[in-house]
Structures are given as C-alpha cells and as structure tokens.
Amino acid sequence: MQQIEPDDRALIEWLASHDESCPACGYRLRGLERTTCPECAHALRLTVGAPDVRLAAWFVAIVGFALAAGFDGVVATILTVGVGAAWVTGGHVPLPDVWIVLASFAGAAALMLGGSVWIFRSRARWMRWSLARRIRWAALIVAGVFLVHAAAGFWLLTHIN
C-alpha cells in the first residue's frame, strides 16, 4: 500500500467534509480519498491562496512610468546616433538646441525608469493601501507622466529653434 504524505492527508481530510471542485475540470471532490482528480487526473494540493490580489492599479502605475521611460530612451538614443553621425561626417549640428533636447529626453528617461523601480520596489507597501487609494495613485501617476511630457514637449517646441 502507498504511503500518504502529511500534506496529502490534510487534503484528503479537508475534502472529507467540504464541497470543493477540481480546478481543472470542475468535478466535485467531496469525499475523495486520493490526491488526483478521478475525472481528469489533475494533481491536487491543499493551499492557501489569494485569487484576487488586485494588482491592476500597481501594474498600471509601473507601465505608465515604463512606457514613458522607453519612449524617452528611444528618442534620446535616436538623437545621440543622429548627433554622432553628423559629427563624424562633418555635418552641421545646432549644438545648444540639440544638447538641450537630448538632455531633456535622457533625463526624462532616467526619471521615468526611476519611477518604475520605485513602484516595483514599493509593491508590499502599495498592496497594504486600500483599493481606492491604489487606483487613485495609479491614475495620478499616469496623468502626471502625461502632463509632464506634454508640458516638456510644449516647452521644447516653443523654445527650441
């Protein structure tokens, strides 16, 4: 006869008095005496879980920063390559304007990447907040990132020749 592990015994004891369904096929498991579903042979285990951890707002906040960091980083890279190519070929590079734009995008990329890291590292604290507070912060971050980029773009368009 096969030896039953303590974790398996706990599952069998739980199913002896609780109506649970197989997570794979939905078969009713009450009274089951083994740790696989008799219908689909899916392995079963007794766990404590959090099926609804509500990570959406946290994820939106990270993505808000990360998308902006990616955009700013790509633009800064394109400008760097363009300035380098112009410099190597002896072309004209309007230095003050190009460096201001390049520094703006590189600085914004670093700032947005820092925001992503900050949100990522703050997950435990973030998850202790109420759902309303998490949603409010995610909305503020996305709106703030948009407004900062819109304002910086407007300033660059109106002040750079």
Side-chain angles (χ1 to χ4, degrees):
M1 185 164 158
Q2 182 181 1
Q3 176 108 10
I4 297 177
E5 299 292 322
D7 288 345
D8 294 343
R9 185 180 323 278
L11 172 62
I12 292 167
E13 288 173 6
W14 172 263
L15 292 174
S17 59
H18 292 84
D19 286 321
E20 297 294 337
S21 298
C22 173
C25 71
Y27 183 84
R28 290 282 179 188
L29 300 171
R30 186 181 186 109
L32 190 69
E33 296 179 2
R34 56 186 174 181
T35 59
T36 57
C37 175
E39 184 74 16
C40 68
H42 185 79
L44 304 169
R45 63 186 168 130
L46 185 62
T47 63
V48 174
D52 185 13
V53 293
R54 300 179 188 230
L55 289 174
W58 176 78
F59 181 74
V60 166
I62 288 179
V63 168
F65 277 131
L67 285 174
F71 172 78
D72 295 336
V74 166
V75 172
T77 301
I78 290 169
L79 287 172
T80 301
V81 169
V83 167
W87 181 72
V88 167
T89 60
H92 174 68
V93 178
L95 289 180
D97 292 347
V98 170
W99 292 117
I100 290 169
V101 174
L102 180 57
S104 298
F105 278 103
L111 187 64
M112 296 300 125
L113 183 61
S116 293
V117 170
W118 171 68
I119 293 293
F120 184 79
R121 295 186 67 178
S122 307
R123 181 173 164 223
R125 183 174 6 141
W126 182 279
M127 297 310 292
R128 287 192 295 268
W129 294 348
S130 69
L131 179 59
R133 184 176 183 190
R134 284 181 268 170
I135 291 171
R136 190 170 43 251
W137 269 95
L140 285 171
I141 288 168
V142 170
V145 165
F146 174 79
L147 290 174
V148 164
H149 279 79
F154 180 77
W155 186 88
L156 288 171
L157 285 174
T158 57
H159 288 80
I160 302 298
N161 296 336

